Amino acid sequence: MSASTPDTAPEPALPATLAEIREDFLALPERERLQLLLEFANELPDLPERYASAPGMLERIEECQSPVRAFAEVDGDGVVHFYATAPAEAPTTRGFASILAQGLSGLTVQEVLDVPDDFPMSIGLTRAVSPLRIGGMNGMLTRAKRQVREQVSARG
């Protein structure tokens, strides 16, 4: 293969909100990143009533030690909304859920599917939180993408 022909397609740009979140984390010294994650935990959006009254509609995230439930919903216009619930006594997990709720909601289907699978590893928290917690965020993102694909497929 010649030097001018790339062997892989370029990565799509990270959506603006997720890029800004990543930049905010990476701009901080490592010891302050956990505090920002805890601030996100306090900003987890409330569930819409249709999910708050029927939390079983949200999928359990098995990779999380805490009882976390999440669902990525594609509306009639092809816009994704990510909803999650996590207990207050699990602030790091709640923070990760909030990052995804804020970062994925409002994106198109393709933008969600294009989010790099390693996004949770890219925000500079791998030494501040346990690998198990990062795995939980990976689980949330993986499920969100699968749920989006399933809804698009079901619509034909």
Side-chain angles (χ1 to χ4, degrees):
M1 187 172 280
S2 72
S4 63
T5 307
D7 58 354
T8 60
E11 289 248 342
L14 196 60
T17 303
L18 288 174
E20 183 178 318
I21 289 169
R22 181 172 63 192
E23 289 168 16
D24 288 347
F25 275 100
L26 297 178
L28 292 173
E30 200 170 303
R31 66 187 179 282
E32 293 176 25
R33 292 176 188 164
L34 190 55
Q35 182 57 43
L36 181 57
L37 182 62
L38 298 179
E39 290 174 22
F40 271 98
N42 294 327
E43 299 171 358
L44 180 63
D46 291 332
L47 293 177
E49 182 55 38
R50 67 186 177 279
Y51 293 123
S53 62
M57 291 176 66
L58 281 76
E59 185 174 347
R60 170 84 164 89
I61 308 300
E62 299 298 332
E63 292 86 346
C64 294
Q65 288 180 307
S66 304
V68 176
R69 298 182 91 66
F71 186 67
E73 176 181 71
V74 181
D75 70 19
D77 296 324
V79 175
V80 175
H81 306 276
F82 182 80
Y83 305 111
T85 180
E89 56 274 8
T92 56
T93 302
R94 191 173 169 83
F96 284 138
S98 179
I99 288 169
L100 291 177
Q102 294 180 50
L104 298 179
S105 293
L107 298 180
T108 66
V109 165
Q110 194 59 56
E111 288 171 327
V112 169
L113 297 177
D114 286 345
V115 171
D117 292 337
D118 67 350
F119 173 76
M121 302 290 291
S122 75
I123 59 176
L125 288 168
T126 55
R127 295 196 323 198
V129 298
S130 73
L132 193 60
R133 300 265 188 244
I134 298 286
M137 188 178 186
N138 278 331
M140 287 182 235
L141 179 58
T142 299
R143 278 186 182 65
K145 289 179 169 190
R146 181 185 41 82
Q147 292 164 350
V148 165
R149 280 188 206 93
E150 288 172 352
Q151 290 170 64
V152 169
S153 176
R155 291 180 186 174

